[in-house]
Each structure stands twice: as structure tokens, then as C-alpha cells.
Amino acid sequence: MKPHGDIAQQQANLIVTSTLLMLLIIVPVIALTLFFAYRYRQSNTEATYAPDWDHSTRLELVIWGAPLLIIIALGAITWISTHKLDPFRPLDRISEDKPLAADVKPLQVYAVAMDWKWLFIYPEQGVALVNELAAPVDRPIHFHFTSTSVMNTFYVPALAGMIYAMPGMQTQLHAVINKAGIYDGMSAQYSGAGFSDMRFKFHGLSDEQFAQWVESNKAGGNTLTRADYLKLEQPSTKDPIQRFASVEPGLWGAIVDRCVDGKKMCSSQMMAIDAAGGAGKGGVAGTMRSAWRDADGAARERTVVAALCTPTNPLGLAQAGTSAETAAQKN
């Protein structure tokens, strides 16, 4: 309830305001319950006894009017804050007393929820890290989230609320950190055996410190290639921090499209085929078995849709059949 990011602070204030509004009803009800129990106890012979009483317009107005006004107030606050704190909405201020300068460009961060680790890619700085995140103080951050397998939740309590990461999709978050420090980050949704260790540190740094942090990552890491990503994607627990000095071009798009290895059909391609009428019975031949392993390291396989034609799968079109092309021509 005492965060160091403006979005999280606004959310904390919203919780306090909502609680106080609800206490306007809860406190009097509790007090009156205790008062009535005491005043109209059986041993109090001085209390008014009115067995035929059944209605009071004044009392009805109080009983229904006060909660109605509070519900209207809560509804108005919810409507305004839902739009104002929309995670997809760009920031219009740095903090309550500091407006956002027109020439400030948000820091872009791509975040991938894996089993069971976090991968953070900085496209402008060209670096990537596993289980470590950093950003300059008082600079807007624009997060893009996705997941490799199951739905997960990104949560840095000091920064902003929880945001879901889902495979094949992109969610977003606009946030800012207002005070330098090291903050806890975690997964806030159960996602399997390694969930409890799916944690990382978020560093709020000055502009100079952030520049030094970027340079240190470039000096002490390798290139994050598609092959490296496929290794990271395999389930593992308690992973140490890993640093990559550069990132292979096009990796993020392939992650979201779920076709990093070049053998599986990309989601966008699959949706285009579906929009054109589908691949028909010939599409059954376009599946293949893909290597995988479980949390214990045991070898497994899973069925995926093969790419129709890629540099690594030149015969894929013949394997998948020509029904997709025929359907596309008809439509």
C-alpha cells in the first residue's frame, strides 16, 4: 500500500477510497447492531415495546438511500479509474506533481513468461536477460507480454498491478517507477511445479546507472538466437540470471507467433488459412511431432501444425497438401 510507482500509487489510493466509502455503511451498521442488541435486550424493561410496528418512511429512506448514494459514488469512481488506469493507456504524467514531458520516449520492454522463468528483451538497447529487469527512474515503461505455454501473471507490487501473459497473444502495461531501489517481481498465477521460484528483481536506476547496466550486459553476454530461445523455453526451475548482449532480429515476433523453430506453422499464417476457408482434410498431413520434456527432464513429444514452407522445411507444402492453397484461391 506504499508503492514507489505512480500507477501502483493510484491503485492504492483507489483501494483506500473504496474502503472508506464502504465503511460509511459498515461502521454504522455494526454500531447500531451492538446498540440494538444492548437496548432491546430481554432484561431492559424500559425499552419501547411495539409489536405491531411495521413501517417508517424516514427509516426506509435512510436504509435504502445511503447505500444507493455510496453505490453511485463507487460506480463513478470505478468507471473513471477503469479508463484512467487502463494498462494499455499511455501515461499522461510521471507522478502526481510531475507532468509527462512531450519529448519523453517510453522504454520498450518485451517480457516472456516461461516455465518457470522470465525473459526480458530490450529491443532498443539490444539486450536480453533472464530473471532480471531494470528501468530508469521517472521514465515511462511500455511493457509487452506473452507466454510460451500456459497463462501467467506479471506482478511487481511497487510498480503496478498484475498483468496476464498468454501464449499467442500480446498484453501491455504502461507504468513508471518513481524511486530508485530494488523491488520484488513475481508470477502471481499458479502455473505448475516451478511457480513458487518464478521470481526476479526489478531495479529502479538513474539514467546514468541504467546506461551502465546496459553496457555491462552487452559486455558480459552472448547473442540470444532462436536456438538459445528454444533451450530456454524448456521447463526448468530456480534458473540463475542470464545475460545476452544482443538479440537475433525478428525473435519477438516469432515468439508471439509461436514459430521460433521455423518448423511449426506461425499463428498468423494459420489464422490466414482459416480465414480463407481452411486446409481441409489435407491439413491433417501437416502435423508433426515436436520434441519436449517435462519438469523432471523426461523426454516427451507433442503434436504441432507444421509450417507449409520455410527454409528449414522446404517440403512442408507437399506434406500439408494443397487444399489450403485451393481454398484460398476459391475465396
Side-chain angles (χ1 to χ4, degrees):
M1 296 302 293
K2 293 183 179 180
H4 299 295
D6 185 58
I7 295 297
Q9 185 60 59
Q10 292 184 67
Q11 293 170 336
N13 294 340
L14 179 62
I15 293 173
V16 171
T17 302
S18 302
T19 302
L20 292 176
L21 282 172
M22 290 184 284
L23 286 176
L24 292 177
I25 289 295
I26 295 173
V27 171
V29 167
I30 292 176
L32 288 173
T33 300
L34 297 175
F35 172 74
F36 290 154
Y38 174 77
R39 178 171 176 78
Y40 297 104
R41 65 192 186 278
Q42 185 176 7
S43 60
N44 185 12
T45 58
E46 297 180 0
T48 301
Y49 177 65
D52 297 325
W53 179 88
D54 62 1
H55 179 73
S56 170
T57 301
R58 184 179 301 174
L59 188 59
E60 291 285 347
L61 288 175
V62 174
I63 291 175
W64 293 103
L68 179 60
L69 292 175
I70 292 177
I71 290 173
I72 292 174
L74 285 172
I77 292 173
T78 301
W79 173 267
I80 294 170
S81 60
T82 297
H83 293 279
K84 186 178 181 181
L85 299 176
D86 181 357
F88 282 67
R89 183 174 183 260
L91 301 185
D92 55 10
R93 73 182 200 185
I94 297 299
S95 62
E96 186 175 3
D97 57 352
K98 187 182 295 185
L100 178 64
D103 58 345
V104 174
K105 186 178 179 182
L107 174 69
Q108 301 292 329
V109 179
Y110 298 153
V112 185
M114 297 180 163
D115 296 332
W116 288 272
K117 63 189 86 69
W118 289 94
L119 171 65
F120 300 106
I121 300 174
Y122 291 77
E124 296 171 344
Q125 289 72 26
V127 299
L129 297 98
V130 173
N131 289 339
E132 185 175 86
L133 180 64
V137 171
D138 288 344
R139 180 179 175 183
I141 313 168
H142 186 192
F143 289 98
H144 300 258
F145 300 100
T146 192
S147 175
T148 57
S149 57
V150 301
M151 186 165 65
N152 225 303
T153 307
F154 173 89
Y155 188 31
V156 179
L159 182 68
M162 296 178 287
I163 302 296
Y164 282 98
M166 293 166 279
M169 299 179 64
Q170 281 194 73
T171 50
Q172 298 180 39
L173 170 65
H174 289 268
V176 62
I177 192 71
N178 300 121
K179 184 178 180 181
I182 301 177
Y183 306 100
D184 291 325
M186 67 194 77
S187 167
Q189 172 157 321
Y190 180 74
S191 58
F195 158 77
S196 58
D197 296 308
M198 198 171 170
R199 297 175 175 269
F200 61 92
K201 293 297 182 181
F202 171 58
H203 300 262
L205 307 172
S206 65
D207 290 336
E208 295 77 13
Q209 290 173 329
F210 180 72
Q212 294 173 1
W213 179 82
V214 171
E215 290 303 318
S216 65
N217 289 320
K218 288 185 176 181
N222 301 316
T223 300
L224 177 60
T225 63
R226 295 192 178 214
D228 293 322
Y229 176 85
L230 293 174
K231 294 177 182 178
L232 284 175
E233 189 184 23
Q234 299 295 320
S236 59
T237 59
K238 299 181 179 180
D239 286 78
I241 296 173
Q242 299 181 50
R243 307 178 190 278
F244 297 92
S246 59
V247 180
E248 181 176 327
L251 179 59
W252 171 253
I255 293 172
V256 177
D257 238 354
R258 300 182 61 77
C259 54
V260 175
D261 64 0
K263 297 178 181 179
K264 295 190 292 291
M265 183 185 294
C266 294
S267 297
S268 58
Q269 185 183 17
M270 191 181 304
M271 288 185 285
I273 292 173
D274 290 341
K281 292 182 179 179
V284 177
T287 61
M288 67 177 186
R289 301 294 288 172
S290 177
W292 191 248
R293 60 184 176 85
D294 57 24
D296 298 324
R300 294 286 188 270
E301 284 189 340
R302 54 184 180 178
T303 301
V304 298
V305 179
L308 293 182
C309 187
T310 69
T312 57
N313 186 27
L315 299 179
L317 185 60
Q319 295 171 351
T322 59
S323 57
E325 183 180 354
T326 303
Q329 293 174 350
K330 288 182 179 180
N331 287 275

